[in-house]
Amino acid sequence: MVKSIIIAGVGGQGTLLASKILAAAAGAGGLFVRGSETIGMAQRGGSVSSHLRMEAKEVSPIVPGGHGDILLGFELAEAARMIPKLRPGAKCVVNTDRIIPTNVALGKGVYRGEEYLALLKKKYPDALFIEGAPLALAAGDIRTLNIVILGAAAGAELLPFTEAEIRTAIRGCVKPKLLAMNEKAFALGLEAAEKRWRERKQID
């Protein structure tokens, strides 16, 4: 069965590195994987998305509408933008931090953050929502947000890979001088997700 993952964010958030890490984890696990990236607006602040399709030898690398199994949302509005791509019951990890687009900052548009969040929660009530930026900063650099979200997805057991497989892929894809910081980011995301799931079980 094809397993489709969508990563949505903005330029500068490391969506392409996250995609590379997941592809490496898939390959190491013996899965055939196809990938596709939207990088035409990849300048800082522009929309960027990556599609990964596991066991997808006979299908397009681009996830068609209503077929996304997993969403990793690095930015709130970009996560909401991907809703038409997701199937009912899709698994989601969404960073609730917001990056205001340039046109909004210039008064030429509106960022409806609360509406985006409410829509995502309504469509996917089991989604994991976390504030990723404080965790990335705690790891040492806001640019580790992508690894924080990967850690959160692993902690919530939403990905078709083990924690160990993702850690190994990170070591293979991240520059050695940045590895310790990224490993810390992964651990912080993992811990945040596990804590959130424990709290949710207690409420249930």
Side-chain angles (χ1 to χ4, degrees):
M1 178 181 294
V2 176
K3 179 72 72 172
S4 299
I5 302 174
I6 299 173
I7 305 172
V10 301
Q13 286 192 304
T15 58
L16 302 186
L17 175 59
S19 178
K20 181 180 178 180
I21 289 169
L22 293 182
L31 296 176
F32 182 89
V33 58
R34 292 186 187 275
S36 176
E37 293 85 29
T38 300
I39 59 176
M41 292 292 290
Q43 76 275 14
R44 190 168 300 276
S47 298
V48 181
S49 65
S50 294
H51 295 201
L52 285 171
R53 309 198 78 189
M54 317 298 165
E55 298 300 90
K57 293 183 180 180
E58 298 179 359
V59 299
S60 167
I62 299 175
V63 179
H67 284 71
D69 298 296
I70 300 167
L71 170 66
L72 304 183
F74 290 0
E75 197 281 329
L76 184 60
E78 297 304 323
R81 192 193 302 274
M82 290 297 123
I83 288 176
K85 286 284 188 181
L86 303 178
R87 64 171 176 79
K91 299 176 180 179
C92 307
V93 177
V94 178
N95 173 36
T96 57
D97 299 308
R98 304 163 190 191
I99 298 177
I100 305 301
T102 301
N103 68 317
V104 175
L106 294 174
K108 297 180 180 179
V110 179
Y111 188 102
R112 305 183 187 278
E114 295 306 317
E115 292 182 19
Y116 304 148
L117 182 59
L119 180 59
L120 283 162
K121 287 184 174 180
K122 180 179 179 181
K123 291 277 188 180
Y124 303 99
D126 293 328
L128 173 64
F129 296 91
I130 68 169
E131 293 182 44
L135 299 177
L137 291 171
D141 195 313
I142 188 63
R143 289 173 293 182
T144 63
L145 173 71
N146 54 350
I147 309 300
V148 167
I149 300 302
L150 289 183
E157 299 182 350
L158 300 187
L159 296 171
F161 319 111
T162 66
E163 176 188 334
E165 287 171 337
I166 301 173
R167 287 183 180 275
T168 298
I170 289 172
R171 288 193 290 271
C173 295
V174 172
K175 294 179 181 178
K177 67 179 181 179
L178 301 176
L179 182 56
M181 181 170 61
N182 281 276
E183 288 183 328
K184 182 177 181 180
F186 183 84
L188 288 172
L190 186 84
E191 181 182 358
E194 290 176 341
K195 179 181 178 182
R196 186 65 55 85
W197 287 138
R198 287 195 300 270
E199 293 173 347
R200 184 173 291 183
K201 287 181 180 179
Q202 291 173 355
I203 293 173
D204 294 340

